[in-house]
Amino acid sequence: GVLWIMDDAKFDALLEAIAHRKPDAAQGRDIWQFAMDRWRLSFPMFDWESAADGGRDALGASGLEERLKALRLRLQAWLRRSGYSEEIIQAIVRAVNRLAEQPVAHVKQVEVSQWVNLSKNYFSTSFRAITRMAFSHYLQTISVRAAQELLRSTNHPVYWIAERCGFADQRYFSRLFKEQTGLLPSEYRQRHAAASDT
């Protein structure tokens, strides 16, 4: 999850887990790549490319720790630019964390605002300011990203993936997927299957 961004205890626990695993340089790089793919889903508007700088390099435990500390500072600064209080930013991060764990295109905004004890209107305004995306657009984006991952990593049929990501209507899912990626889900899968074979 992404709770470590604003929660010091969670961040310390993350660093401890890395120190405990004592990853060698190659494992460190793999951990970083895996984590970045997960975190990217949570904040699509954040500039992950420059934050991931050097992410292809080999990374031992101490390098991983340094890179995480730098990433955390950049993410915190980006979130705080919204001007909202730490408490509200933490509430939005908790909402994002929960949504990214199980992306579903049909979850209601009122339901999510209740998870974090904010009124629907205040949640809507603060969510947009902090994540730089309207709630409905955010849900669509993370649901399509989750679908991309499933298309790359599984052989499940497109209708199954659409349902799994919260789309009851496969045609709507395919249209939205093409709007966001430039490809239909089947084309996306073919292109990525070909890429992983080479």
Side-chain angles (χ1 to χ4, degrees):
V2 290
L3 297 177
W4 58 271
I5 296 170
M6 298 304 291
D7 184 325
D8 292 341
K10 293 258 191 302
F11 187 63
D12 291 342
L14 178 62
L15 295 181
E16 227 166 85
I18 290 167
H20 184 69
R21 278 188 74 173
K22 299 185 180 67
D24 63 27
Q27 289 167 332
R29 184 189 56 226
D30 292 346
I31 291 169
W32 178 256
Q33 286 304 124
F34 178 78
M36 285 294 276
D37 288 346
R38 287 268 172 280
W39 297 333
R40 241 186 207 104
L41 191 61
S42 303
F43 294 105
M45 300 305 281
F46 178 71
D47 180 8
W48 290 101
E49 292 320 306
S50 63
D53 226 13
R56 312 267 176 276
D57 308 341
L59 269 180
S62 62
L64 205 51
E65 192 175 311
E66 289 314 303
R67 193 166 289 166
L68 269 172
K69 285 178 178 170
L71 174 63
R72 185 178 194 230
L73 288 173
R74 289 177 73 161
L75 274 161
Q76 286 178 340
W78 183 78
L79 292 167
R80 286 174 178 145
R81 264 199 303 254
S82 64
Y84 279 86
S85 71
E86 294 291 296
E87 192 184 347
I88 299 303
I89 292 172
Q90 285 186 5
I92 298 302
V93 170
R94 284 199 312 276
V96 159
N97 189 65
R98 194 156 162 190
L99 290 166
E101 294 290 305
Q102 184 54 59
V104 280
H106 56 67
V107 67
K108 300 275 182 281
Q109 185 168 308
V110 66
E111 201 181 316
V112 182
S113 65
Q114 285 166 357
W115 293 346
V116 294
N117 298 322
L118 294 175
S119 74
K120 182 179 177 282
N121 288 346
Y122 192 68
F123 175 82
S124 176
T125 312
S126 55
F127 187 93
R128 181 191 289 259
I130 292 166
T131 66
R132 323 298 200 269
M133 284 179 117
F135 182 77
S136 57
H137 184 215
Y138 178 85
L139 272 191
Q140 290 173 346
T141 302
I142 66 167
S143 297
V144 166
R145 295 231 179 147
Q148 285 176 283
E149 194 176 308
L150 288 170
L151 287 164
R152 285 194 307 266
S153 62
T154 74
N155 293 319
H156 290 299
V158 171
Y159 73 83
W160 184 92
I161 289 172
E163 274 176 27
R164 179 81 193 264
C165 295
F167 296 95
D169 179 345
Q170 190 186 331
R171 279 195 307 260
Y172 172 69
F173 165 70
S174 292
R175 193 176 75 233
L176 189 66
F177 191 94
K178 185 162 188 176
E179 273 173 26
Q180 289 197 22
T181 66
L183 298 168
L184 288 167
S186 53
E187 295 169 336
Y188 181 88
R189 172 173 270 163
Q190 280 176 328
R191 183 166 298 182
H192 285 274
S196 62
D197 291 342
T198 54

